[in-house]
Amino acid sequence: LEMKKRYMKTFSYNAIPTIRFINKAFYPIRQPLIANAFFIFGINLIPGSLGFIFWCITTRLYPASQIGLASAIISSIILVSSIAGLGTNIGLIRFLPESKNQVGLLNSIFTFNFITSIFFSISFLLSIDFFAPELKSIQENFLLCSFFIIFVEVATLGTNVRDTFVASRKGHFALTYTLISNLSRLPLIFLTVNLGVSGIIGITTFAFFIALLICLALFVPKVVKDYRFFLTLDFRPIRNLIPYSIGNYLAGLLTQLNQTVIPILVLILLGPEANAYTYIALMISGFLTSPGIALATSAFAEGSNDPKKIKSTLLKATSIGMMVTIPVSFLAGINANLLLSFFGQTYIEAKNLLIYLAIASPFVVLMQLYFTYLRLYKFTRKLLVISGLISFITLLSFSFLVRRFGILGIGISFILSYSVGSALLLCDLIFEFRQNPGRFCP
C-alpha cells in the first residue's frame, strides 16, 4: 500500500504536468473557431491543391484553346449555380442550428434549389447568344449541354450539403465532400481525352455527382437526426430563411462576379489562350486567400451560434487571417515563375498577373472578414452597397486597362477595387465606433 502511494505521488507530479502541457499546446487548435476553420480551409485547400494537379495534367493532354474554353464553361457553371442557389447556403448556416424542423428545412431548401437550378441553367443556355456567343458551342453539343445542366444542379445542391455540415460544426464532413468531388476526377482525365472539352466537363460533373450522393446517403443523417432525402416544398420552415438569404445572395453574387465574369470577358476580348493563363493565375490566388476566407466562414458560423462572442471571434479571425495571408502571398509573389512553370513554360506569361493578385490577396481576405461582420449584425443593405461597389470598380477598371495591359489589367483592377473597399471598411468602423463604442470595447 505504501509503495502504491509513492507511485501515485510520483505519477501525479511527473505525468500530469506533461499531459497538461500537451493539452495547453493543442488547446488553440481545439477551439471551435480554429478547428472549424481548419476543415473549411481544407475545403478551399483541396480544390486548390487537387485542382493544381488536375490542370497540370490537362494542360499537357489538351491544347490551350480547349483549356481556355473548358475553364470559361466551368466559370459559367459556377456563376449560374451561385445565381440558382439564391444564397440559401448562407441562410442554412444562420438558421439551421436554431430550427426545430431541420429535416423539413433541408428538404425544402434542396427542392427549392433543384427547381431554381433547372430554371437558371436552361435560361442561360437559351440566352447564350446574347450573354456569351463565344460559348455557343455548348448549344451545338447535346452532350456538353446535358453536362452543363446536370453540373449546375449538382453544384448548387452540393454547396447546400457542404454548408449544412459547416452550420452543424461538422467541418470534417464538409471536407470529405470536397475531397471526394475533387479527387475522384483525377484518374478519369486520361480516359476522356478524345472527347475534348466535353470530357473535361463530363468527368468533373460525374465527380461532384458521386460526392453529393455519398454525403446525402451517409453523412447528412449523422448531422441531422432521422434525415432522409425526399422532394418537398414547404415554405413554413424556410419563410424566415429566404428573405435573409436573398440579401446575402445578392451580395455574394456581386462578390463572385470578379472570379466568374472576368474569365468570360478575357475569352471574349483576348481569346482562349489568354483566358487559360488568367484562369490558372486566378486559381493560385484563390489558394492564397483560402485560409483567411476559411476563418471568415468559421467566424460566421461561430457568431451565429454564440452572438455574445461576435467581437472576440472576429478579432481573433482577423489577426490570424492576416498573419497567414501576408507571408503566404509574399512567398507566392517572389516564386511566381516556379508556381506557373508546373503548368507548362507558356503559362509563365501570367507571372506579372500572379504577382499583382498576390499583392491584392490580403485586401481580399480583409474584405471577406468585414462582410462577415456585416452579416452577423444583419447590415444587409451596407453589405450590398460595398460588395457591389467593389465589383463595379473591378469590372469597370478592367474594361479600360485590358486594352493597354492585357491580362495584367486584372491584377491592377483587383488592387484598386479592394484598396477602395479597405478604405471604406476603415471609415465605417470609425463611424460605428463613435456611434456604438460598446460593440468594440469589452
Side-chain angles (χ1 to χ4, degrees), residues 90 244 248 251-252 300 371-378 383:
I90 299 295
Y244 177 85
N248 284 276
F300 179 56
F371 292 158
T372 298
Y373 159 79
L374 295 178
R375 289 189 178 102
L376 286 170
Y377 286 107
K378 299 180 180 179
L383 176 65

Side-chain angles (χ1 to χ4, degrees), residues 85-362:
L86 294 175
T88 51
N89 61 312
I90 299 295
L92 280 173
I93 296 176
R94 180 64 181 86
F95 287 92
L96 184 63
E98 63 187 33
S99 175
K100 296 180 180 179
N101 182 16
Q102 292 187 341
V103 175
L105 175 64
L106 281 180
N107 284 326
S108 294
I109 288 297
F110 293 159
T111 305
F112 178 71
N113 284 150
F114 181 83
I115 296 171
T116 57
S117 297
I118 293 176
F119 173 78
F120 283 106
S121 58
I122 293 178
S123 298
F124 179 85
L125 291 174
L126 292 177
S127 58
I128 206 168
D129 289 333
F130 177 76
F131 288 109
E134 284 73 13
L135 297 178
K136 189 174 177 60
S137 57
I138 302 177
Q139 289 181 331
E140 300 169 351
N141 187 326
F142 176 78
L143 186 62
L144 193 57
C145 186
S146 301
F147 285 150
F148 187 96
I149 297 173
I150 296 171
F151 199 170
V152 171
E153 287 280 350
V154 171
T156 306
L157 296 180
T159 300
N160 282 329
V161 168
R162 183 198 66 197
D163 285 342
T164 297
F165 300 139
V166 174
S168 304
R169 296 179 176 179
K170 302 294 183 182
H172 56 287
F173 289 137
L175 182 63
T176 303
Y177 165 80
T178 305
L179 182 63
I180 295 172
S181 60
N182 285 272
L183 187 61
S184 56
R185 64 177 176 168
L186 289 179
L188 300 176
I189 191 63
F190 298 98
L191 305 177
T192 58
V193 176
N194 293 332
L195 294 177
V197 175
S198 298
I200 298 175
I201 305 300
I203 61 173
T204 307
T205 303
F206 177 77
F208 277 77
F209 180 71
I210 292 298
L212 177 62
L213 286 182
I214 292 174
C215 288
L216 284 175
L218 299 179
F219 301 145
V220 176
K222 294 183 178 181
V223 172
V224 178
K225 186 179 180 181
D226 299 326
Y227 178 81
R228 65 183 181 87
F229 175 76
F230 58 89
L231 294 176
T232 181
L233 192 58
D234 185 357
F235 282 99
R236 286 176 297 177
I238 62 175
R239 65 177 180 271
N240 293 324
L241 184 148
I242 294 297
Y244 177 85
S245 298
I246 294 296
N248 284 276
Y249 148 75
L250 292 174
L253 180 61
L254 291 170
T255 303
Q256 287 185 352
L257 281 177
N258 297 334
Q259 298 288 338
T260 54
V261 173
I262 282 180
I264 299 174
L265 293 178
V266 172
L267 176 67
I268 295 172
L269 298 174
L270 301 177
E273 290 190 10
N275 190 48
Y277 306 147
T278 299
Y279 186 82
I280 296 300
L282 288 173
M283 184 185 68
I284 296 174
S285 70
F287 171 76
L288 301 179
T289 57
S290 291
I293 293 175
L295 281 163
T297 306
S298 181
F300 179 56
E302 290 301 313
S304 297
N305 281 276
D306 193 355
K308 294 180 180 180
K309 295 183 178 180
I310 289 177
K311 182 198 68 175
S312 60
T313 299
L314 286 173
L315 287 174
K316 188 182 298 182
T318 302
S319 59
I320 298 174
M322 289 297 100
M323 285 190 295
V324 173
T325 305
I326 292 174
V328 169
S329 300
F330 176 76
L331 291 174
I334 63 176
N335 293 286
N337 275 348
L338 177 63
L339 291 173
L340 293 167
S341 65
F342 284 104
F343 300 91
Q345 291 300 313
T346 58
Y347 286 84
I348 296 179
E349 293 285 336
K351 171 190 172 183
N352 292 331
L353 171 58
L354 180 56
I355 292 174
Y356 277 59
L357 291 175
I359 295 172
S361 293

